[in-house]
């Protein structure tokens, strides 16, 4: 390709609305252009990179015996109503009506389409397993689209769905996809972590997120410095600390703490750290009262509380609830709570003693409160929010808090969709069974954004070679020198035989061409200049490391390809 013909006008400055590096650079380097908030046109450079990611994804899906299909973007509402997702997706789903007043939606995902599809074609256990996938544009009516491709209203997804006759088969299909995902992200050159994710739907199965490390990532997760353990904050656990020795227990003493209904106020008043306070949080679980105990310097993870009480729905108490249950808001302590209150203690509470906690009386706390002696704990559970510095549950190493961009999600669904949609097959024993399903998503355009986030420097994009739109650029510096132009043309023709090459044949200054080459991020640059020609050589630059070298003109194409092979 020739730069003089390429439909690409780079920008010196990014538009002010572009807040993060990937958004700024993809706009500046002429990869994408905004049509409206959350919707972009892919320009030739961006489209090539996007297609490369797509190709990697397709190759690995096909190598895993997943079969490609294509489902429509526009979908009927009915199956979504059957699974309940018409409701739960709410305003996030684009909903419309056709001229006959039928309700339709734009697909954010396709379980409601693929499940009836397979049920209509496959009726026997002998047909299974099967995994289908598509690469398709999907839609979500984001309240506030931002961050360029990271929170758009239109996005390109690869979504795959596996169908098995039993759970064992589902897990085997899941493992095949899991391995394919690793190969995909490895081939794209991304730095990522595989994170154990919150099952979301309580009682749901195993699921993992593939998270690109990025400070701008919208998801927080922890990983172990020492081993492979990583989990999102909803799912993360830490190793329980050692229980405190039961010696030197102080007597339970009532203390006057006027107007001190918060941990902070009591801590200031008594001059004791928040970690010595016992927080007693009260929840309603399906009409029953639950008290959750954690140290005062920590936060409750309400997803964990919900899991501990499942299937009862858990909610925080209203002021009215406190009054109705005879509890003094801001001064609740576990001692003396009625028998019908379920008291859950976080494991970390075992590691402390002589707690300061509410006295169940306005303006009073107690000190010297100890588990078993002064209050009972019905269940010891993990209900605390993990934080940086906690111990890894696997190896005891230190957990680090990090941010990431979710690139992929794999999920063991079981019969979550096949049951309500009555998608069944006849098993060996003649019984009707729902398909055991898995679903597997990859944000194809998100990979482009995440890579742009991970691979850039002051000059612009520094793509891994698998993702760069062109692998090498030939830059003639003096377009008015016939020898320079001729050499560049010849080199470009040679290079095209072994690499995807670009020739910057524009009548522009060398400075502008260098800046554009850096900005666009060709992994290898070959500079043909007047002085070099005189000495019979050209200059080479590896974009990722900015290493420079030179090569004889006759060997330049070969040297550029060797350099490309060494590129990350
Ligand atoms: Zn570890």
């Amino acid at each position: 390709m020739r730069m003089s013909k390429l439909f690409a006008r780079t920008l010196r400055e990014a538009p002010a609305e572009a807040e993060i590096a990937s958004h700024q650079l993809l706009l500046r380097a002429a990869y994408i252009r905004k049509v409206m908030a959350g919707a972009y046109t892919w320009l030739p450079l961006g489209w090539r990179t996007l297609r490369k990611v797509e190709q990697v994804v397709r190759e690995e899906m096909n190598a895993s015996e997943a079969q490609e299909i294509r489902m429509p973007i526009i979908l009927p509402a009915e199956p979504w109503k059957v699974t309940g997702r018409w409701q739960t997706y709410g305003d996030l789903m684009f909903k419309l009506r056709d001229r006959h007043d039928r309700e339709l939606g734009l697909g954010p995902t396709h379980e409601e389409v693929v499940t009836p599809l397979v049920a209509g074609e496959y009726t026997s256990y002998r047909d299974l397993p099967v995994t289908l996938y598509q690469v398709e544009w999907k839609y979500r009516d984001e309240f506030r689209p931002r961050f360029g491709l990271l929170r758009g209203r239109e996005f390109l997804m690869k979504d795959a769905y596996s169908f098995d006759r039993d759970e064992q088969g589902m897990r085997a299909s899941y493992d095949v996809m899991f391995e394919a995902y690793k190969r995909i992200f490895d081939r794209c050159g991304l730095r990522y972590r595989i994170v154990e994710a919150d099952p979301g739907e309580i009682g749901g199965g195993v699921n993992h997120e593939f998270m690109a490390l990025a400070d701008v990532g919208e998801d927080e997760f922890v990983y172990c410095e020492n081993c492979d353990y990583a989990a999102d904050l909803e799912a993360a656990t830490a190793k329980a600390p050692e229980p405190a020795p039961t010696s030197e227990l102080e007597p339970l003493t009532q203390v006057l703490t006027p107007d001190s209904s918060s941990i902070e106020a009591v801590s200031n008043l008594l001059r004791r750290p928040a970690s010595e306070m016992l927080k007693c949080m009260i929840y309603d679980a399906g009409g029953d009262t639950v008290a959750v105990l954690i140290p005062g310097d920590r936060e409750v993870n309400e997803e964990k509380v919900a899991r501990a009480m499942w299937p009862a729905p858990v909610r925080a108490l209203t002021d009215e609830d406190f009054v109705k249950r005879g509890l003094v808001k801001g001064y609740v302590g576990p001692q003396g709570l009625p028998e019908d209150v379920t008291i859950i203690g976080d494991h970390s509470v075992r590691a402390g003693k002589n707690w300061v906690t509410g006295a169940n009386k306005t303006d009073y706390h107690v000190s010297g409160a100890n588990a078993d002696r002064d209050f009972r704990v019905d269940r010891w559970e993990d209900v605390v929010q993990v934080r940086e510095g906690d111990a890894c549950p696997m190896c005891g190493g230190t957990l680090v808090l990090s941010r990431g961009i979710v690139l992929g999600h794999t999920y063991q669904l079981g019969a979550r969709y096949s049951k309500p949609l009555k998608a069944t097959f006849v098993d060996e024993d003649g019984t009707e069974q729902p398909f055991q399903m898995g679903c597997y998503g990859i944000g194809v355009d998100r990979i482009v954004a995440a890579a742009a986030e991970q691979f850039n420097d002051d000059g612009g994009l520094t793509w891994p070679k698998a993702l760069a739109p062109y692998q090498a650029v030939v830059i003639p510096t003096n377009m008015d020198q016939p020898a320079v132009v001729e050499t560049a043309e010849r080199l470009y023709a040679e290079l095209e035989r072994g690499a995807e090459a670009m020739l910057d044949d524009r009548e522009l200054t060398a400075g502008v061409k260098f800046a554009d080459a850096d900005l666009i991020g060709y992994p290898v640059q070959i500079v043909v200049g007047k002085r070099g020609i005189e000495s019979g050589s050209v200059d080479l630059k590896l974009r990722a490391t900015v290493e420079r070298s030179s090569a004889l003109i006759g060997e330049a194409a070969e040297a550029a390809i060797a350099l490309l092979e060494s590129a990350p």
Side-chain angles (χ1 to χ4, degrees), residues 143-177:
F143 181 72
R144 191 181 167 207
R146 62 192 294 208
F147 302 137
L149 303 176
L150 285 182
R151 201 191 295 163
R153 299 205 274 189
E154 182 187 65
F155 48 98
L156 186 61
M157 288 268 296
K158 184 287 301 172
D159 45 328
Y161 307 89
S162 63
F163 295 80
D164 279 273
R165 60 185 290 206
D166 54 22
E167 283 183 24
Q168 195 189 340
M170 172 183 74
R171 282 193 291 273
S173 296
Y174 184 90
D175 290 344
V176 169
M177 283 292 122

mmCIF file of all heavy atoms in Angstrom, residues 143-177:
data_model
loop_
_atom_site.group_PDB
_atom_site.id
_atom_site.type_symbol
_atom_site.label_atom_id
_atom_site.label_comp_id
_atom_site.label_asym_id
_atom_site.label_seq_id
_atom_site.Cartn_x
_atom_site.Cartn_y
_atom_site.Cartn_z
ATOM 1 N N PHE A 143 -25.753 3.878 29.045
ATOM 2 C CA PHE A 143 -26.240 5.159 29.553
ATOM 3 C C PHE A 143 -25.263 6.266 29.179
ATOM 4 O O PHE A 143 -25.640 7.338 28.734
ATOM 5 C CB PHE A 143 -26.397 5.093 31.079
ATOM 6 C CG PHE A 143 -26.917 6.372 31.676
ATOM 7 C CD1 PHE A 143 -28.243 6.736 31.489
ATOM 8 C CD2 PHE A 143 -26.090 7.211 32.413
ATOM 9 C CE1 PHE A 143 -28.727 7.914 32.026
ATOM 10 C CE2 PHE A 143 -26.575 8.393 32.947
ATOM 11 C CZ PHE A 143 -27.898 8.750 32.758
ATOM 12 N N ARG A 144 -23.976 5.988 29.358
ATOM 13 C CA ARG A 144 -22.981 6.994 29.036
ATOM 14 C C ARG A 144 -21.813 6.354 28.291
ATOM 15 O O ARG A 144 -20.829 5.936 28.902
ATOM 16 C CB ARG A 144 -22.484 7.653 30.332
ATOM 17 C CG ARG A 144 -21.655 8.878 30.037
ATOM 18 C CD ARG A 144 -21.131 9.537 31.291
ATOM 19 N NE ARG A 144 -20.097 10.503 30.898
ATOM 20 C CZ ARG A 144 -19.112 10.884 31.660
ATOM 21 N NH1 ARG A 144 -18.988 10.400 32.877
ATOM 22 N NH2 ARG A 144 -18.218 11.747 31.223
ATOM 23 N N PRO A 145 -21.929 6.262 26.960
ATOM 24 C CA PRO A 145 -20.816 5.674 26.210
ATOM 25 C C PRO A 145 -19.581 6.551 26.386
ATOM 26 O O PRO A 145 -19.679 7.770 26.335
ATOM 27 C CB PRO A 145 -21.292 5.713 24.752
ATOM 28 C CG PRO A 145 -22.735 6.063 24.791
ATOM 29 C CD PRO A 145 -22.981 6.779 26.072
ATOM 30 N N ARG A 146 -18.440 5.944 26.612
ATOM 31 C CA ARG A 146 -17.196 6.712 26.734
ATOM 32 C C ARG A 146 -16.011 5.777 26.553
ATOM 33 O O ARG A 146 -16.180 4.597 26.327
ATOM 34 C CB ARG A 146 -17.138 7.460 28.072
ATOM 35 C CG ARG A 146 -17.151 6.536 29.275
ATOM 36 C CD ARG A 146 -17.394 7.284 30.558
ATOM 37 N NE ARG A 146 -16.284 8.181 30.863
ATOM 38 C CZ ARG A 146 -15.942 8.554 32.106
ATOM 39 N NH1 ARG A 146 -16.616 8.095 33.139
ATOM 40 N NH2 ARG A 146 -14.941 9.357 32.323
ATOM 41 N N PHE A 147 -14.823 6.355 26.657
ATOM 42 C CA PHE A 147 -13.587 5.589 26.519
ATOM 43 C C PHE A 147 -13.472 4.916 25.150
ATOM 44 O O PHE A 147 -12.936 3.822 25.021
ATOM 45 C CB PHE A 147 -13.440 4.535 27.623
ATOM 46 C CG PHE A 147 -13.460 5.109 29.011
ATOM 47 C CD1 PHE A 147 -14.181 4.514 30.033
ATOM 48 C CD2 PHE A 147 -12.757 6.278 29.302
ATOM 49 C CE1 PHE A 147 -14.199 5.046 31.311
ATOM 50 C CE2 PHE A 147 -12.772 6.823 30.581
ATOM 51 C CZ PHE A 147 -13.495 6.204 31.582
ATOM 52 N N GLY A 148 -13.992 5.567 24.118
ATOM 53 C CA GLY A 148 -13.828 5.042 22.761
ATOM 54 C C GLY A 148 -14.439 3.673 22.610
ATOM 55 O O GLY A 148 -15.624 3.471 22.858
ATOM 56 N N LEU A 149 -13.602 2.709 22.226
ATOM 57 C CA LEU A 149 -14.123 1.372 21.948
ATOM 58 C C LEU A 149 -14.446 0.604 23.230
ATOM 59 O O LEU A 149 -15.070 -0.450 23.173
ATOM 60 C CB LEU A 149 -13.090 0.575 21.149
ATOM 61 C CG LEU A 149 -12.639 1.204 19.831
ATOM 62 C CD1 LEU A 149 -11.551 0.347 19.206
ATOM 63 C CD2 LEU A 149 -13.822 1.348 18.872
ATOM 64 N N LEU A 150 -14.002 1.105 24.378
ATOM 65 C CA LEU A 150 -14.162 0.312 25.593
ATOM 66 C C LEU A 150 -15.587 0.321 26.136
ATOM 67 O O LEU A 150 -16.012 -0.618 26.784
ATOM 68 C CB LEU A 150 -13.190 0.768 26.682
ATOM 69 C CG LEU A 150 -11.749 0.324 26.459
ATOM 70 C CD1 LEU A 150 -10.879 0.775 27.618
ATOM 71 C CD2 LEU A 150 -11.651 -1.181 26.292
ATOM 72 N N ARG A 151 -16.313 1.396 25.943
ATOM 73 C CA ARG A 151 -17.706 1.367 26.357
ATOM 74 C C ARG A 151 -18.564 1.951 25.244
ATOM 75 O O ARG A 151 -19.071 3.057 25.351
ATOM 76 C CB ARG A 151 -17.922 2.100 27.670
ATOM 77 C CG ARG A 151 -19.202 1.649 28.362
ATOM 78 C CD ARG A 151 -19.592 2.525 29.519
ATOM 79 N NE ARG A 151 -18.626 2.463 30.602
ATOM 80 C CZ ARG A 151 -18.557 3.361 31.588
ATOM 81 N NH1 ARG A 151 -19.392 4.374 31.612
ATOM 82 N NH2 ARG A 151 -17.649 3.254 32.534
ATOM 83 N N GLY A 152 -18.667 1.189 24.169
ATOM 84 C CA GLY A 152 -19.429 1.643 23.010
ATOM 85 C C GLY A 152 -20.844 1.089 23.029
ATOM 86 O O GLY A 152 -21.199 0.266 23.877
ATOM 87 N N ARG A 153 -21.645 1.559 22.090
ATOM 88 C CA ARG A 153 -23.006 1.029 21.976
ATOM 89 C C ARG A 153 -23.055 -0.098 20.946
ATOM 90 O O ARG A 153 -23.990 -0.880 20.911
ATOM 91 C CB ARG A 153 -23.946 2.160 21.592
ATOM 92 C CG ARG A 153 -23.916 3.239 22.672
ATOM 93 C CD ARG A 153 -25.171 4.018 22.686
ATOM 94 N NE ARG A 153 -25.123 5.102 21.739
ATOM 95 C CZ ARG A 153 -26.064 6.057 21.679
ATOM 96 N NH1 ARG A 153 -27.066 6.031 22.515
ATOM 97 N NH2 ARG A 153 -25.969 7.015 20.806
ATOM 98 N N GLU A 154 -22.040 -0.118 20.079
ATOM 99 C CA GLU A 154 -21.907 -1.184 19.092
ATOM 100 C C GLU A 154 -20.542 -1.818 19.324
ATOM 101 O O GLU A 154 -19.561 -1.103 19.496
ATOM 102 C CB GLU A 154 -21.974 -0.594 17.688
ATOM 103 C CG GLU A 154 -21.891 -1.628 16.603
ATOM 104 C CD GLU A 154 -21.788 -1.010 15.221
ATOM 105 O OE1 GLU A 154 -20.772 -0.345 14.941
ATOM 106 O OE2 GLU A 154 -22.714 -1.191 14.429
ATOM 107 N N PHE A 155 -20.469 -3.132 19.349
ATOM 108 C CA PHE A 155 -19.179 -3.775 19.577
ATOM 109 C C PHE A 155 -19.134 -5.124 18.874
ATOM 110 O O PHE A 155 -20.162 -5.767 18.680
ATOM 111 C CB PHE A 155 -18.883 -3.929 21.076
ATOM 112 C CG PHE A 155 -20.021 -4.498 21.876
ATOM 113 C CD1 PHE A 155 -20.057 -5.847 22.188
ATOM 114 C CD2 PHE A 155 -21.071 -3.689 22.290
ATOM 115 C CE1 PHE A 155 -21.120 -6.381 22.912
ATOM 116 C CE2 PHE A 155 -22.144 -4.215 23.018
ATOM 117 C CZ PHE A 155 -22.160 -5.559 23.323
ATOM 118 N N LEU A 156 -17.928 -5.514 18.482
ATOM 119 C CA LEU A 156 -17.768 -6.767 17.742
ATOM 120 C C LEU A 156 -17.392 -7.876 18.711
ATOM 121 O O LEU A 156 -16.374 -7.788 19.395
ATOM 122 C CB LEU A 156 -16.687 -6.618 16.664
ATOM 123 C CG LEU A 156 -16.542 -7.814 15.730
ATOM 124 C CD1 LEU A 156 -17.828 -8.077 14.952
ATOM 125 C CD2 LEU A 156 -15.383 -7.606 14.757
ATOM 126 N N MET A 157 -18.235 -8.910 18.749
ATOM 127 C CA MET A 157 -18.006 -10.016 19.674
ATOM 128 C C MET A 157 -17.846 -11.316 18.916
ATOM 129 O O MET A 157 -18.485 -11.530 17.893
ATOM 130 C CB MET A 157 -19.224 -10.223 20.578
ATOM 131 C CG MET A 157 -19.446 -9.176 21.622
ATOM 132 S SD MET A 157 -18.657 -9.609 23.163
ATOM 133 C CE MET A 157 -19.534 -11.077 23.647
ATOM 134 N N LYS A 158 -17.019 -12.169 19.484
ATOM 135 C CA LYS A 158 -17.055 -13.568 19.087
ATOM 136 C C LYS A 158 -17.813 -14.230 20.212
ATOM 137 O O LYS A 158 -17.412 -14.115 21.372
ATOM 138 C CB LYS A 158 -15.635 -14.122 18.969
ATOM 139 C CG LYS A 158 -15.534 -15.551 18.475
ATOM 140 C CD LYS A 158 -15.952 -16.606 19.459
ATOM 141 C CE LYS A 158 -15.144 -16.586 20.734
ATOM 142 N NZ LYS A 158 -15.678 -17.503 21.757
ATOM 143 N N ASP A 159 -18.924 -14.857 19.919
ATOM 144 C CA ASP A 159 -19.635 -15.589 20.973
ATOM 145 C C ASP A 159 -19.807 -17.037 20.552
ATOM 146 O O ASP A 159 -20.215 -17.331 19.436
ATOM 147 C CB ASP A 159 -20.973 -14.940 21.355
ATOM 148 C CG ASP A 159 -21.817 -14.512 20.156
ATOM 149 O OD1 ASP A 159 -21.244 -14.129 19.122
ATOM 150 O OD2 ASP A 159 -23.061 -14.557 20.267
ATOM 151 N N ALA A 160 -19.444 -17.926 21.472
ATOM 152 C CA ALA A 160 -19.534 -19.360 21.202
ATOM 153 C C ALA A 160 -20.418 -20.006 22.260
ATOM 154 O O ALA A 160 -20.529 -19.504 23.377
ATOM 155 C CB ALA A 160 -18.143 -19.990 21.230
ATOM 156 N N TYR A 161 -21.044 -21.122 21.881
ATOM 157 C CA TYR A 161 -21.974 -21.821 22.770
ATOM 158 C C TYR A 161 -21.749 -23.320 22.628
ATOM 159 O O TYR A 161 -21.777 -23.838 21.513
ATOM 160 C CB TYR A 161 -23.424 -21.470 22.391
ATOM 161 C CG TYR A 161 -23.657 -19.966 22.335
ATOM 162 C CD1 TYR A 161 -23.442 -19.254 21.155
ATOM 163 C CD2 TYR A 161 -24.039 -19.269 23.475
ATOM 164 C CE1 TYR A 161 -23.618 -17.879 21.109
ATOM 165 C CE2 TYR A 161 -24.223 -17.891 23.440
ATOM 166 C CZ TYR A 161 -24.014 -17.198 22.255
ATOM 167 O OH TYR A 161 -24.180 -15.839 22.212
ATOM 168 N N SER A 162 -21.519 -23.987 23.752
ATOM 169 C CA SER A 162 -21.345 -25.441 23.690
ATOM 170 C C SER A 162 -22.578 -26.134 24.246
ATOM 171 O O SER A 162 -23.230 -25.630 25.157
ATOM 172 C CB SER A 162 -20.098 -25.867 24.483
ATOM 173 O OG SER A 162 -20.228 -25.551 25.847
ATOM 174 N N PHE A 163 -22.878 -27.287 23.661
ATOM 175 C CA PHE A 163 -24.048 -28.086 24.063
ATOM 176 C C PHE A 163 -23.585 -29.505 24.358
ATOM 177 O O PHE A 163 -22.988 -30.150 23.500
ATOM 178 C CB PHE A 163 -25.103 -28.102 22.951
ATOM 179 C CG PHE A 163 -25.688 -26.739 22.686
ATOM 180 C CD1 PHE A 163 -25.010 -25.806 21.907
ATOM 181 C CD2 PHE A 163 -26.905 -26.384 23.239
ATOM 182 C CE1 PHE A 163 -25.536 -24.549 21.679
ATOM 183 C CE2 PHE A 163 -27.449 -25.127 23.015
ATOM 184 C CZ PHE A 163 -26.763 -24.208 22.241
ATOM 185 N N ASP A 164 -23.861 -29.963 25.577
ATOM 186 C CA ASP A 164 -23.452 -31.301 25.978
ATOM 187 C C ASP A 164 -24.615 -32.024 26.641
ATOM 188 O O ASP A 164 -25.600 -31.409 27.050
ATOM 189 C CB ASP A 164 -22.273 -31.199 26.955
ATOM 190 C CG ASP A 164 -20.962 -30.996 26.218
ATOM 191 O OD1 ASP A 164 -20.357 -32.008 25.836
ATOM 192 O OD2 ASP A 164 -20.574 -29.829 26.006
ATOM 193 N N ARG A 165 -24.456 -33.348 26.768
ATOM 194 C CA ARG A 165 -25.545 -34.135 27.357
ATOM 195 C C ARG A 165 -25.480 -34.135 28.880
ATOM 196 O O ARG A 165 -26.480 -34.359 29.543
ATOM 197 C CB ARG A 165 -25.533 -35.579 26.842
ATOM 198 C CG ARG A 165 -24.263 -36.325 27.147
ATOM 199 C CD ARG A 165 -24.257 -37.698 26.502
ATOM 200 N NE ARG A 165 -25.195 -38.616 27.120
ATOM 201 C CZ ARG A 165 -25.045 -39.941 27.096
ATOM 202 N NH1 ARG A 165 -24.016 -40.477 26.472
ATOM 203 N NH2 ARG A 165 -25.933 -40.716 27.656
ATOM 204 N N ASP A 166 -24.285 -33.906 29.457
ATOM 205 C CA ASP A 166 -24.193 -33.886 30.924
ATOM 206 C C ASP A 166 -23.123 -32.900 31.373
ATOM 207 O O ASP A 166 -22.427 -32.304 30.551
ATOM 208 C CB ASP A 166 -23.916 -35.294 31.473
ATOM 209 C CG ASP A 166 -22.683 -35.923 30.821
ATOM 210 O OD1 ASP A 166 -21.832 -35.164 30.297
ATOM 211 O OD2 ASP A 166 -22.581 -37.165 30.813
ATOM 212 N N GLU A 167 -23.028 -32.749 32.694
ATOM 213 C CA GLU A 167 -22.111 -31.755 33.253
ATOM 214 C C GLU A 167 -20.657 -32.077 32.956
ATOM 215 O O GLU A 167 -19.844 -31.183 32.743
ATOM 216 C CB GLU A 167 -22.315 -31.628 34.771
ATOM 217 C CG GLU A 167 -23.550 -30.828 35.092
ATOM 218 C CD GLU A 167 -23.747 -30.613 36.582
ATOM 219 O OE1 GLU A 167 -22.738 -30.675 37.322
ATOM 220 O OE2 GLU A 167 -24.896 -30.396 36.991
ATOM 221 N N GLN A 168 -20.365 -33.360 32.957
ATOM 222 C CA GLN A 168 -18.989 -33.769 32.682
ATOM 223 C C GLN A 168 -18.597 -33.324 31.271
ATOM 224 O O GLN A 168 -17.513 -32.796 31.046
ATOM 225 C CB GLN A 168 -18.902 -35.285 32.824
ATOM 226 C CG GLN A 168 -17.500 -35.803 32.910
ATOM 227 C CD GLN A 168 -17.483 -37.324 32.815
ATOM 228 O OE1 GLN A 168 -18.496 -37.992 33.057
ATOM 229 N NE2 GLN A 168 -16.339 -37.866 32.455
ATOM 230 N N GLY A 169 -19.522 -33.542 30.329
ATOM 231 C CA GLY A 169 -19.278 -33.115 28.955
ATOM 232 C C GLY A 169 -19.139 -31.608 28.859
ATOM 233 O O GLY A 169 -18.273 -31.085 28.160
ATOM 234 N N MET A 170 -20.004 -30.896 29.594
ATOM 235 C CA MET A 170 -19.945 -29.431 29.591
ATOM 236 C C MET A 170 -18.575 -28.946 30.069
ATOM 237 O O MET A 170 -17.979 -28.049 29.482
ATOM 238 C CB MET A 170 -21.038 -28.864 30.505
ATOM 239 C CG MET A 170 -20.935 -27.365 30.733
ATOM 240 S SD MET A 170 -22.191 -26.755 31.881
ATOM 241 C CE MET A 170 -21.557 -27.354 33.448
ATOM 242 N N ARG A 171 -18.073 -29.586 31.124
ATOM 243 C CA ARG A 171 -16.762 -29.168 31.645
ATOM 244 C C ARG A 171 -15.662 -29.450 30.636
ATOM 245 O O ARG A 171 -14.726 -28.671 30.487
ATOM 246 C CB ARG A 171 -16.480 -29.853 32.989
ATOM 247 C CG ARG A 171 -17.234 -29.198 34.138
ATOM 248 C CD ARG A 171 -16.707 -29.666 35.490
ATOM 249 N NE ARG A 171 -17.033 -31.056 35.745
ATOM 250 C CZ ARG A 171 -18.184 -31.447 36.312
ATOM 251 N NH1 ARG A 171 -19.074 -30.563 36.694
ATOM 252 N NH2 ARG A 171 -18.425 -32.727 36.498
ATOM 253 N N ALA A 172 -15.784 -30.558 29.915
ATOM 254 C CA ALA A 172 -14.771 -30.887 28.902
ATOM 255 C C ALA A 172 -14.811 -29.855 27.767
ATOM 256 O O ALA A 172 -13.770 -29.367 27.321
ATOM 257 C CB ALA A 172 -14.999 -32.292 28.359
ATOM 258 N N SER A 173 -16.023 -29.490 27.320
ATOM 259 C CA SER A 173 -16.144 -28.484 26.269
ATOM 260 C C SER A 173 -15.597 -27.143 26.758
ATOM 261 O O SER A 173 -14.957 -26.398 26.012
ATOM 262 C CB SER A 173 -17.616 -28.308 25.859
ATOM 263 O OG SER A 173 -18.105 -29.501 25.299
ATOM 264 N N TYR A 174 -15.870 -26.853 28.029
ATOM 265 C CA TYR A 174 -15.381 -25.606 28.631
ATOM 266 C C TYR A 174 -13.851 -25.561 28.595
ATOM 267 O O TYR A 174 -13.254 -24.546 28.229
ATOM 268 C CB TYR A 174 -15.882 -25.535 30.079
ATOM 269 C CG TYR A 174 -15.543 -24.255 30.805
ATOM 270 C CD1 TYR A 174 -16.413 -23.171 30.759
ATOM 271 C CD2 TYR A 174 -14.379 -24.127 31.561
ATOM 272 C CE1 TYR A 174 -16.126 -21.987 31.438
ATOM 273 C CE2 TYR A 174 -14.081 -22.950 32.239
ATOM 274 C CZ TYR A 174 -14.960 -21.888 32.175
ATOM 275 O OH TYR A 174 -14.667 -20.723 32.838
ATOM 276 N N ASP A 175 -13.244 -26.686 28.964
ATOM 277 C CA ASP A 175 -11.772 -26.721 29.000
ATOM 278 C C ASP A 175 -11.174 -26.483 27.615
ATOM 279 O O ASP A 175 -10.139 -25.830 27.495
ATOM 280 C CB ASP A 175 -11.286 -28.062 29.557
ATOM 281 C CG ASP A 175 -11.586 -28.190 31.042
ATOM 282 O OD1 ASP A 175 -11.885 -27.152 31.675
ATOM 283 O OD2 ASP A 175 -11.546 -29.324 31.557
ATOM 284 N N VAL A 176 -11.823 -27.020 26.597
ATOM 285 C CA VAL A 176 -11.326 -26.824 25.222
ATOM 286 C C VAL A 176 -11.345 -25.336 24.874
ATOM 287 O O VAL A 176 -10.382 -24.781 24.333
ATOM 288 C CB VAL A 176 -12.169 -27.638 24.220
ATOM 289 C CG1 VAL A 176 -11.841 -27.251 22.784
ATOM 290 C CG2 VAL A 176 -11.944 -29.136 24.426
ATOM 291 N N MET A 177 -12.441 -24.654 25.212
ATOM 292 C CA MET A 177 -12.552 -23.217 24.930
ATOM 293 C C MET A 177 -11.548 -22.426 25.777
ATOM 294 O O MET A 177 -10.926 -21.483 25.301
ATOM 295 C CB MET A 177 -13.964 -22.710 25.234
ATOM 296 C CG MET A 177 -14.974 -23.060 24.179
ATOM 297 S SD MET A 177 -14.669 -22.186 22.619
ATOM 298 C CE MET A 177 -14.501 -23.571 21.524
#
